[in-house]
Structure formats: C-alpha cells, structure tokens
Amino acid sequence: MHLGLVREGRLGAYSSGELRLLKTLLPHLRRAIEIGMRLEEAALARQGFLDAMKAAGQCLMVVSRSSEIRFASVEAERLMQERVAIANWAGRLCGVGRTDAAKLRQAIDKATRAEPSPEASLLVLTGSSHAGRYSVSVTPLREQRTGLFHEKGVCVVVLAKPRDVGAPSAEALATLFGLTPAEARLAHALSKGASLADYAEANNVSITTVKTHLGALFSKAGVNRQTDLVRLIFADPIFSRSVSGPADE
C-alpha cells in the first residue's frame, strides 16, 4: 500500500523538521490503516459465516458459561420457540423439564470451565412428550482457533434427532464389543445420558467399580473418553441390522 500526504499550497512546502516527523509517523500510520482494513475484512467474513450457519438446517447454538445464547441457527430458534427439548429462558439456553435442564447445564459447565480443562459432552434430552429424544453434543469453542467469538468460556451446542430414538440394548452392545454383562449395562446407561454417579447409585455399586468397568469398556471399544464411546455407539451402522436386538427401555 502506498501512502502520501498533501496539504494546501498556501501553507508552503514542508520544512525539514516536518519531513523528519512525517518520515517517522508514516510507517505507523500505514500499519494502522492496514490493520483497520484487515479487521473490516475479518468482520465481513465472520458475518458471512454466521449468516450461512444461521440459515443451515442444523440446530446449532453458541452459548456462554452462564448459558447466555450468543448465536442460534434458524432451526435452533424454532425448537426453542416451540419448547422442543430446549427453550430460551430470558436469553439463556435451558432444557425442557428439570432433569433435562440439569443435564444440559452440567454439560455447558464442563465445556466452558477454565480449570480443569474444558471437556466435551454427549447427552440425550427427553424433550416434550410428543417430540421424542434428541441427542446433544456440547463442545468447547476455543476463541484463538476461530476468531468468531471474542470471549472466553463459550461452547457450541448441537441438537440432532436420532434416527432411532431408543438407545441400543445392552445385549447388542455386548455382542458388538465383546462386553461382560456389567460392562454392557454401563455402556447402555451411558448411551442414554446417565453419568457415572447416576449409574453407581441406580445399581448400588461403588464409583470405583464403575470406573473399573469403564476402563475395560474403553479398551474393548478402542476409545479413551465417554463422549467418543457414545458417539461410536450411535454412529455404528451395525445397530440398524439384526444385531441390534430387542429394545431395552
């Protein structure tokens, strides 16, 4: 970029002192203009991306640590307005019903916390009685990677209607991964959105025992995290075939 300065002829030519000053200031002025142009281009690109995401058919939201909605696609706005699994409560995202609200709040807390490191979650929201279940992923959004939201502690929430709203049966999971009955029951519970503490309490076992089963389950499924395990369970096409077994509700 070339930059020059002119002034009215009646003021005369620049003095040697003025020229020295301009020589010092011009590089800084040029840099400031370049930065301004880049920021404007980035703002236009950001808005274009958000407009495209808003019009997409997916139910996608960006929320803050306090569940304040920073962005919502058209589909997300529709679901919140109809109170299908999620709702907009005074500008904050919440689940419909006490149980779903608590599960979603916990997932957002995990994804936006500073210490320890943020953690993604996969869960299932029951939703209103007529709507059926929705699978939900809550993923940390790292500002330094995207530049879209200049705020710490935000996450992306995506809802999807599973093709099969029922979680795979424990028998099907045991067949697929070679699990023991206890490991299969744990995998089934996790696929339905239960936490380790929930499962331990419901089955009257210690959290240490549950974690032992979880470690064996990870090893057999070839994953290292609960979110990856649940994603694997719902994504596997085997469950659309005969191995899926009877519903276990």
Side-chain angles (χ1 to χ4, degrees), residues 138-169:
V138 183
T139 308
L141 180 62
R142 305 187 187 281
E143 185 273 332
Q144 63 269 28
R145 292 184 181 178
T146 64
L148 292 174
F149 297 91
H150 303 285
E151 177 182 2
K152 293 182 179 179
V154 293
C155 63
V156 178
V157 180
V158 180
L159 270 73
K161 184 76 171 177
R163 286 173 292 180
D164 179 4
V165 297
S169 68

Side-chain angles (χ1 to χ4, degrees), residues 9-32:
R10 63 183 180 82
L11 297 177
Y14 289 109
S15 67
S16 58
E18 289 173 330
L19 289 174
R20 286 194 299 270
L21 179 60
L22 289 174
K23 187 176 181 180
T24 301
L25 293 178
L26 276 177
H28 299 288
L29 182 58
R30 181 184 296 110
R31 180 62 176 165

Side-chain angles (χ1 to χ4, degrees), residues 75-165:
E75 178 64 10
E77 290 175 345
R78 182 187 70 80
L79 292 182
M80 287 188 288
Q81 184 176 6
E82 297 178 2
R83 297 182 64 83
V84 176
I86 54 174
N88 182 336
W89 182 262
R92 300 176 190 271
L93 176 66
C94 64
V96 176
R98 182 177 300 177
T99 301
D100 281 357
K103 288 163 61 176
L104 184 57
R105 176 66 257 170
Q106 183 181 40
I108 292 173
D109 285 342
K110 289 169 61 178
T112 58
R113 65 191 178 190
E115 295 294 340
S117 59
E119 181 180 340
S121 298
L122 282 173
L123 58 147
V124 176
L125 298 183
T126 304
S128 54
S129 58
H130 69 279
R133 296 181 179 180
Y134 278 79
S135 60
V136 184
S137 68
V138 183
T139 308
L141 180 62
R142 305 187 187 281
E143 185 273 332
Q144 63 269 28
R145 292 184 181 178
T146 64
L148 292 174
F149 297 91
H150 303 285
E151 177 182 2
K152 293 182 179 179
V154 293
C155 63
V156 178
V157 180
V158 180
L159 270 73
K161 184 76 171 177
R163 286 173 292 180
D164 179 4
V165 297

